[in-house]
Amino acid sequence: MKAVQFAKYGDPDVLRVVEIDKPHAGAGQVRIAVHAAGVNPIDWKLRAGHMREMMPLTLPAGTGREAAGVVDDVGEGVNGVRVGDAVFGAGSATYAEYAVLSDWALKPSTLSFEEAAGYPVAVETAIRIINQVGVQPGQTLLVSGASGGVGSAALQIARDRKIKVLATASERNLAYLSSLGATAVAYGEGLVERVRAFAPKGVDAALDLAGSGIIQELIALTGAPQKVLSITDFSASKYGVQVSGTPVNTAGALAEAARLFAAGAFHIPVAKVFSLATAAEAQTMSAAGHVVGKLVIKVGHEVT
């Protein structure tokens, strides 16, 4: 099969499309014929070597952590899914014609493979951090850097939970945040004053999704560092802020995404579609930021 790999850490041009053997589904896993794979910041951070101490890789290594496709092999002990089922889920080395998933959910028939491929990491992260920061129905949550995949998911999950949301992004993305039910606020200098214009008493919790150096402003708005959580600024813990990066109950998050989509309450736009051959361009665009929704790599399987 064709797959995207890198044999050394480095810039996007280390990515290569290579021919390798298909992976096999182990116990508790399924293998899918990949129709589309989602692109996430973790992909280029691993490729660049930024996380080699925390998450060392055996090179050459594949890239990608989420995909949607059709099951073609079911591992031992797996129930509730069979060969031929369309699923989306989380796994490893998903920029490939075939990939193994460790967590998955059945794909609603009206959900495209391309959009579904961008759900797993964003939805799991959004649900995890909303739960971890402890915000409750009726309270107010501030989401900083909210126009990407995780932000898109967080705003809609919070809306479903009856949590009031203020969300920040660049001026060009404010209308998108408003369309997801959030009160949109432009980020940049003067953010604290703009947020307080909408929430004079401050906010109950805040999520930092962009790592743009505003941890102290978020602490000022919440009144306590333990009410702030970051997924990108690992130095935030020195201020007493929570940092979250380890997945929790991915399968449950995927099932929740499928439920919300089927109810017409969830959608993450696909900002741009790439191919295996242009995976380097996809990771370059992801690293540049300011993407509305998700970037996706479409693989050559015929969608039926």
Side-chain angles (χ1 to χ4, degrees):
M1 70 168 190
K2 290 183 173 64
V4 177
Q5 289 190 340
F6 55 100
K8 61 181 180 179
Y9 295 114
D11 293 333
D13 60 9
V14 302
L15 295 175
R16 296 283 186 273
V17 178
V18 298
E19 291 278 351
I20 60 173
D21 292 335
K22 293 179 184 177
H24 295 285
Q29 298 177 326
V30 300
R31 184 178 69 192
I32 63 169
V34 177
H35 290 294
V39 177
N40 293 284
I42 186 69
D43 302 345
W44 57 263
K45 290 177 181 178
L46 286 168
R47 182 219 72 230
H50 297 333
M51 306 182 72
R52 70 179 77 186
E53 293 186 5
M54 288 187 291
M55 300 175 66
L57 300 174
T58 300
L59 301 176
T63 185
R65 302 173 75 85
E66 60 184 358
V70 175
V71 175
D72 85 323
D73 186 29
V74 177
E76 182 181 354
V78 172
N79 298 305
V81 68
R82 59 187 178 182
V83 171
D85 283 344
V87 300
F88 63 106
S92 60
T94 57
Y95 295 19
E97 291 182 316
Y98 292 86
V100 169
L101 302 182
S102 299
D103 295 286
W104 61 87
L106 294 174
K107 182 184 74 66
S109 60
T110 55
L111 175 60
S112 72
F113 282 100
E114 288 86 353
E115 182 175 345
Y119 278 14
V121 170
V123 173
E124 185 284 323
T125 303
I127 290 176
R128 165 169 39 93
I129 61 180
I130 289 172
N131 290 343
Q132 188 174 332
V133 81
V135 62
Q136 299 297 315
Q139 292 187 323
T140 300
L141 173 67
L142 174 62
V143 181
S144 176
S147 61
V150 175
S152 298
L155 300 193
Q156 294 172 87
I157 290 161
R159 180 181 64 191
D160 183 67
R161 296 183 180 188
K162 305 297 188 291
I163 295 167
K164 302 173 185 176
V165 180
L166 278 72
T168 77
S170 60
E171 290 279 357
R172 64 185 178 185
N173 294 332
L174 296 183
Y176 171 66
L177 302 185
S178 296
S179 75
L180 300 181
T183 298
V185 182
Y187 60 43
E189 187 176 350
L191 175 66
V192 171
E193 290 71 23
R194 288 193 295 278
V195 169
R196 282 181 171 154
F198 292 105
K201 297 181 180 179
V203 298
D204 297 293
L207 302 175
D208 168 35
L209 308 185
S212 53
I214 62 163
I215 293 298
Q216 294 189 65
E217 287 89 339
L218 299 183
I219 293 172
L221 286 164
T222 60
Q226 63 267 28
K227 295 180 180 180
V228 179
L229 183 149
S230 179
I231 62 169
T232 52
D233 186 350
F234 292 99
S235 68
S237 58
K238 69 183 180 183
Y239 298 107
V241 166
Q242 302 180 69
V243 176
S244 185
T246 303
V248 176
N249 190 20
T250 299
L254 298 175
E256 180 70 357
R259 180 191 71 80
L260 288 171
F261 177 86
F266 194 84
H267 167 63
I268 299 180
V270 175
K272 189 169 182 178
V273 177
F274 298 84
S275 66
L276 292 178
T278 57
E281 295 176 32
Q283 290 195 1
T284 298
M285 187 172 181
S286 173
H290 305 290
V291 174
V292 175
K294 287 297 296 274
L295 304 177
V296 170
I297 292 175
K298 187 174 181 179
V299 183
H301 292 286
E302 185 67 26
V303 177
T304 59

